[in-house]
Amino acid sequence: MECVFGMVGEGFAVVAADTSAVHSILVHKSNEDKIMVLDSHKLIAASGEPGDRVQFTEYIQKNVALYQFRNGIPLTTAAAANFTRGELATALRKNPYSVNILLAGYDKETGPSLYYIDYIATLHKVDKGAFGYGSYFSLSTMDRHYHSRMSVEEAIDLVDKCIIEIRSRLVVAPPNFVIKIVDKDGAREYAWRETVKDADVAAA
Amino acid sequence: MARYDRAITVFSPDGHLFQVEYALEAVRKGNAAVGVRGTDTIVLGVEKKSTAKLQDSRSVRKIVNLDDHIALACAGLKADARVLVNRARIECQSHRLTVEDPVTVEYITRYIAGLQQKYTQSGGVRPFGLSTLIIGFDPYSGAPSLYQTDPSGTFSAWKANATGRNSNSIREFLEKNYKETSGQETVKLAIRALLEVVESGGKNIEVAVMTKEQGLRQLEEAEIDAIVAEIDAEKAAAEAAKKAPSKET
């Protein structure tokens, strides 16, 4: 029931992901951050097998860092996306990773971009994308309201519309979401949308 | 059938490893490099032999960073340095991946030294012909460190050191003039040491400064020229002060 979705706006890209870590019928935690900061201007929102998700995204993150040290300049978003897809493709027919990824980034020359990379190494450059059961609702909502070059306020408003749709229509909807944004000033956390707080469990 | 698995580095009858000593000779012929550790700043300086007119000097960077908080300068065979630096960079990321922590300066120095040692005890290979100066801040304690490795694979920590051409003169100067410094004073000390053996001027030395907050920063030629001018002025003032009292008596 993992929900990940994102879209590109005017000079920025935003991604949102649910924050529940689930094993069968048990919710381990509801504040698991599934959007990794790949480097200063890239975000990877990942969903899928928890072990694979962390292993794979950290592996990509360290290799992106290595490229930067070796070459003195950071990878472009397109290059990082193609590298990620390549790693998934190489492992696919031996030891596949079950991870779906939305890679959002900002390049000085080409502006914001969003890449859809699924677990069998499909790669698409998109304006909006989504994974999981939530995608049935978030994609439809985005199709209805999205237009190119939205402002941050408009985009976050649309993200919230999607979250409301998921919460009301998905049978085991995740309670909490995290929203992260990347623009010319870098990749950073934007907000959390919580209905359940992990920390304060009422004393018996 | 010729077999190339025989060790090239073997002991001589009187207990020397000549290949390692020849590698040290190669280091002695390399560019001078100096490293100085301050309380909050660490500085690396390298001699820049006059660049050919048509060469793009930006492509010849002698001070490199291994990670956000670690940098390296070396003297000796630059091609060997490329290989060693590449392996060290991979190890820095690999360490972060497996233990989720950045390397300490000592760890990566030990790794590089271990690599250099391996090549003195393997078949069919020659030792790396370079000595390195490795600087960095400990990611936890924030303490600054300066380490040196050499072709034999030994390493140790230093307050200040030099390697390459005329390193003995530079080390003598440092031994006479070293004191705990911070900030710009550390930079000046490193440049003064390097100027002992290098022609004065910003285009003949490459200097990089590492601080805990900003990481590694390469100094521009203009900045170096300004500091060299300051040093020259201080020297002139010291000379004048020496002469003045004798005039009064």
Side-chain angles (χ1 to χ4, degrees), chain B residues 26 33-34 39 46-47 54 56 78 107 125 128 130 132 140 152 170 182 208 213-215 220 224 228 239 247:
Chain B
V34 70
T39 52
V46 182
E47 170 193 8
L54 296 173
D56 186 351
K78 290 293 182 270
Y107 177 94
V125 298
F128 286 97
L130 67 145
T132 68
Y140 319 107
S152 66
I170 306 180
S182 68
E213 298 76 39
Q214 298 189 330
E220 307 263 327
I224 301 176
V228 169
E239 289 290 316
K247 267 196 205 152

Side-chain angles (χ1 to χ4, degrees), chain A residues 55 58-59 61-63 65-66 69-71, chain B residues 65-68 86 89-90 93 96-97 100:
Chain A
Q55 285 291 91
E58 285 189 354
Y59 173 73
Q61 186 191 51
K62 302 310 185 240
N63 273 286
L66 183 61
F69 282 111
R70 273 188 175 145
N71 298 285
Chain B
N65 53 0
L66 303 180
D67 203 341
D68 295 321
N86 190 40
R89 281 172 169 159
I90 293 173
Q93 294 307 311
R96 280 180 184 260
L97 187 58
E100 270 204 26

